[in-house]
Amino acid sequence: MHTEVISDYRKGDLVKFNKAGEDLFIYLKASVAVIASDPIVMHEYEMEHAFQYIAYDILVDGKLFKQIPEEFLDRIVQDEKDIE
């Protein structure tokens, strides 16, 4: 059974880092990333509880970072309202 995944990003999207993202990737001197995969549905199990979240592969300065959670990306990507 295939269910549609609701996600914030699409494969091919270019995202600009905020200050936290630039600090994270300072060794690459990168300020942008490309979403390199379709949304990946991940499952985490803790005792009797199961959690589901969305992750993506991202390409930063030619380096591939795999299965980055969407919630984490939201914290390091510049919000549209911050762009002047």
Side-chain angles (χ1 to χ4, degrees):
M1 180 172 155
H2 179 69
T3 59
E4 186 174 336
V5 176
I6 298 172
S7 58
D8 290 343
Y9 306 98
R10 290 192 177 116
K11 184 176 182 179
D13 283 354
L14 180 68
V15 294
K16 182 163 177 47
F17 294 132
N18 60 19
K19 177 74 169 120
E22 288 177 352
D23 289 347
L24 180 65
F25 291 103
I26 195 164
Y27 68 97
L28 294 176
K29 297 183 174 123
S31 62
V32 296
V34 175
I35 304 298
S37 71
D38 290 323
I40 304 163
V41 178
M42 304 291 292
H43 296 89
E44 181 178 328
Y45 299 94
E46 184 177 302
M47 301 298 279
E48 301 89 34
H49 303 286
F51 302 95
Q52 180 177 308
Y53 61 95
I54 297 172
Y56 304 88
D57 296 344
I58 64 171
L59 191 61
V60 181
D61 194 33
K63 306 214 177 348
L64 184 64
F65 294 85
K66 297 187 69 75
Q67 300 176 348
I68 307 301
E70 183 175 74
E71 185 176 292
F72 181 75
L73 271 179
D74 289 341
R75 294 194 327 244
I76 65 169
V77 169
Q78 196 172 72
D79 194 349
E80 286 182 18
K81 69 179 188 246
D82 296 334
I83 301 172
E84 299 175 327

